[in-house]
Amino acid sequence: MSPFGVILAGGLARRMGGGDKALRPLGSMTLLDRVIARAAPQVSALCLNANGDPSRFARWGLPVVPDDVPGAPGPLAGILAALDWAAAIRPEVDLVASFPCDAPFLPRDLVARLAAARREQGVEIAVAASGGRTHPVVALWPVALRGDLRRALVEEDIRKVGRWMARHPTAVVEFGCDPVDPFLNGNTPEDLAEAERLLARHPELA
């Protein structure tokens, strides 16, 4: 069965001035609209990791899965929530792909390439890279690691995705940056302005 997917929208968006970064507009759509359009065809089911009142995401019709580790520990808590969600509703699903909520140009073959690298290299995790940089929250995770991840978060207070990932055999999959870096994200208003310029210059990205 194809992997499940999670869009990670549980962050505090401090560099964007707070609020829900996923709901910021980019052109005629929100960032979340654009990420869903690219992520949903690549997975068999998709959920949204977000905290607070889930009704603000009602119009997208996705299951909203909150963190259950207190203290806003970051994206690892969202990944754990998605692994637990997959295990609860479809125990036969063995992988979950994670997507950031602010990356509107995600590759349309992202999950297929991560899955192929994981399989070919015989490793546990596959993670995306571009321009010589690894993107730890863009990855394919085995549901079987959820117990290890919970221990790392709760008992060891590990917060960095890369630090936990480094414990496990991982394939790094490099994606090209022509015409744009596919993992450009909207962390700041300046990032969003740059994404707007790129969309105007490259309408095929829409």
Side-chain angles (χ1 to χ4, degrees):
M1 171 173 285
S2 297
F4 275 8
V6 58
I7 298 173
L8 299 169
L12 301 177
R14 291 188 182 96
R15 284 182 285 175
M16 192 65 81
D20 285 306
K21 187 164 45 172
L23 303 184
R24 298 285 176 128
L26 177 58
S28 61
M29 303 165 68
T30 66
L31 282 171
L32 183 57
D33 288 319
R34 294 183 183 279
V35 174
I36 290 171
R38 287 179 175 255
Q42 302 188 50
V43 295
S44 55
L46 187 62
C47 72
L48 182 66
N49 165 243
N51 301 304
D53 184 357
S55 66
R56 67 196 193 277
F57 300 109
R59 78 174 177 89
W60 285 277
L62 295 178
V64 178
V65 180
D67 298 345
D68 75 346
V69 178
L76 276 178
I79 293 164
L80 174 60
L83 297 180
D84 286 343
W85 170 74
I89 68 167
R90 294 295 289 275
E92 70 274 22
V93 171
D94 59 354
L95 295 169
V96 171
S98 59
F99 310 96
C101 70
D102 59 353
F105 308 133
L106 290 169
R108 300 183 193 278
D109 61 350
L110 172 63
V111 174
R113 288 189 57 191
L114 292 178
R118 181 180 175 273
R119 186 171 56 249
E120 289 162 7
Q121 297 183 35
V123 295
E124 291 181 312
I125 297 167
V127 62
S130 63
R133 288 179 56 237
T134 300
H135 306 287
V137 298
V138 188
L140 196 57
W141 312 93
V143 175
L145 290 182
R146 64 195 184 97
D148 182 80
L149 177 51
R150 183 170 293 279
R151 283 189 296 274
L153 274 168
V154 175
E155 298 175 17
E156 301 175 63
D157 199 35
I158 289 175
R159 296 291 182 261
K160 295 280 190 184
V161 180
R163 183 180 168 198
W164 180 70
M165 182 185 285
R167 297 180 171 187
H168 300 278
T170 299
V172 178
V173 182
E174 185 77 26
F175 289 80
C177 292
D178 183 20
V180 302
D181 186 336
F183 305 108
L184 181 147
N185 55 23
N187 272 325
T188 67
E190 292 75 20
D191 293 335
L192 275 184
E194 173 63 13
E196 291 275 10
R197 287 192 290 272
L198 289 167
L199 272 177
R201 201 177 308 145
H202 301 283
E204 72 275 13
L205 295 173

